[in-house]
Amino acid sequence: MAVIRNDYPRFILNDPGMDLIDELKAFVATAQTGSFTAAAGQLGVSNRLTSKYVAELEARLGVRLLQRTTRKVGLTPAGEDLLSRAPALLDDLDDLIGEVSEGSRGFQGVIRISASVSFGEIWVAGMLERFGQRNPALSFDLRLSDRHVDLASEGIDLAFRMGRSDTQSLKARKLGGFSSHLVASPEYLARRGTPRHPAELSGHDCIIDTNRRSPRRWSFGTGTDETTVTVQGRFQVNSARAAVELAIKGCGLAYVPRFALREALAAGLVVPVLPDHAGETSALSAVYLEGRVLPRKVRALIDFAAEEIKSADLL
């Protein structure tokens, strides 16, 4: 489902001759969130004004679009038909105006981005800063969460996700890949010994990163040479960065993405373990809602991220 955004050019919103645009925006936001209050918060206007715009749209069209109850707002058949078309219409308008205005003034408005906590802190934030230097009129709303947020209900334009996505309502552009590496501190290896084969990991303290698809099953190699082992450990965290910090302190072996390891490896705080056994690799993708016109500024951000990933050495 496409999502309404509230960063359309202000001269449209404030033009008294363009009330239909405001009415459509209010309707789509209300239909998608199921609440006038939530829609008002998304649009940055009052609850009363949101309700007024929807009522005016219904009067303009001569049909009821929403079924109002004390707890929730639902769609009528006419509302469902309009919702299937209105978001794309608003996106087309935004894209058209953007092409005209950005030709002379550059990209403007807000881009709302979602990413996992560790990847967002380590890579996405810096990438946005560099993209922002090229586009000083742009603003960014970066929301970090290790859950897969609902792009439509939370008004997210773009999400950076690792691994495969099972959500059919999303389109994905693969930007590159990243690999996982097994590391430990020199102190831990001196105390517990260095494993020479994945099978030996069952006798070691392993730091469990619960963000992994199978946190306690670590795989090495590919195809017929793949070895999967079940590991145990005292420490369980939902952050690759926290897993590295625990490994630095000698708490065990950490199996984490390379992007979380670069500084610790460079400083010698951790060292590779089982370097002859390739770690798991996963895709890194930019995902966005199916069935919508992607604004030019979001397309430009995706292109910029793709170029940066090529030189990021995530493998």
Side-chain angles (χ1 to χ4, degrees):
M1 180 183 291
V3 62
I4 188 68
R5 302 197 318 280
N6 65 352
D7 57 327
Y8 293 95
R10 288 295 175 185
F11 65 83
I12 287 182
L13 300 184
N14 296 331
D15 186 340
M18 296 296 287
D19 286 345
L20 178 58
I21 302 300
D22 291 330
E23 293 166 7
L24 285 171
K25 289 180 60 186
F27 162 72
V28 174
T30 303
Q32 291 180 343
T33 62
S35 162
F36 285 111
T37 301
Q42 189 178 105
L43 296 171
V45 299
S46 70
N47 189 330
R48 181 178 178 182
L49 186 58
T50 302
S51 179
K52 174 178 177 288
Y53 278 144
V54 174
E56 289 178 349
L57 180 62
E58 290 178 323
R60 182 193 297 271
L61 299 178
V63 295
R64 182 170 292 279
L65 300 171
L66 300 175
Q67 296 285 7
R68 299 157 175 83
T69 68
T70 56
R71 302 185 64 182
K72 191 174 181 180
V73 175
L75 286 169
T76 65
E80 291 179 353
D81 184 51
L82 183 60
L83 185 62
S84 69
R85 305 181 186 186
L89 174 66
L90 292 170
D91 279 338
D92 282 342
L93 180 61
D94 180 50
D95 206 41
L96 172 62
I97 294 174
E99 287 188 16
V100 175
S101 63
E102 289 160 4
S104 59
R105 294 182 292 176
F107 296 117
Q108 300 179 69
V110 180
I111 304 179
R112 296 170 182 84
I113 307 105
S114 172
S116 65
V117 176
S118 293
F119 187 64
E121 291 175 343
I122 293 170
W123 188 80
V124 177
M127 182 273 296
L128 291 178
E129 186 274 332
R130 292 184 289 276
F131 185 69
Q133 288 183 357
R134 297 187 179 185
N135 301 277
L138 270 180
S139 298
F140 304 92
D141 182 354
L142 176 59
R143 306 178 190 183
L144 302 182
S145 174
D146 288 326
R147 66 181 177 87
H148 280 188
V149 302
D150 186 326
L151 272 62
S153 65
E154 299 196 27
I156 301 297
D157 297 299
L158 175 68
F160 292 101
R161 291 188 178 169
M162 295 175 284
R164 70 176 185 270
S165 175
D166 299 325
T167 306
Q168 295 184 353
S169 62
L170 298 178
K171 295 187 70 174
R173 174 178 168 183
K174 184 177 178 181
L175 302 178
F178 67 93
S179 61
S180 292
H181 295 257
L182 186 66
V183 297
S185 70
E187 181 273 330
Y188 174 87
L189 297 176
R191 174 166 46 90
R192 295 293 305 275
T194 301
R196 304 298 179 187
H197 189 274
E200 298 178 24
L201 298 180
S202 59
H204 280 266
D205 296 325
C206 295
I207 301 163
I208 310 301
D209 181 357
T210 57
N211 281 332
R212 302 186 69 86
R213 185 173 289 270
S214 300
R216 296 181 180 274
R217 290 176 59 82
W218 293 359
S219 296
F220 301 86
T222 58
T224 57
D225 294 328
E226 183 178 82
T227 300
T228 300
V229 295
T230 300
V231 299
Q232 301 294 330
R234 296 172 56 211
F235 292 93
Q236 178 173 294
V237 297
N238 65 342
S239 163
R241 173 174 278 183
V244 174
E245 290 298 319
L246 288 168
I248 290 172
K249 295 181 183 299
C251 297
L253 297 154
Y255 193 39
V256 292
R258 181 174 175 81
F259 66 78
L261 286 171
R262 297 175 66 178
E263 293 182 1
L265 282 171
L269 299 174
V270 294
V271 295
V273 179
L274 301 180
D276 296 331
H277 293 78
E280 295 177 341
T281 60
S282 296
L284 171 65
S285 301
V287 302
Y288 50 93
L289 289 164
E290 181 84 59
R292 65 170 292 185
V293 176
L294 199 61
R296 293 177 67 247
K297 61 191 174 190
V298 179
R299 292 201 302 267
L301 175 57
I302 294 174
D303 291 340
F304 183 83
E307 287 300 314
E308 289 233 331
I309 284 294
K310 291 180 181 179
S311 59
D313 189 24
L314 300 184
L315 294 173

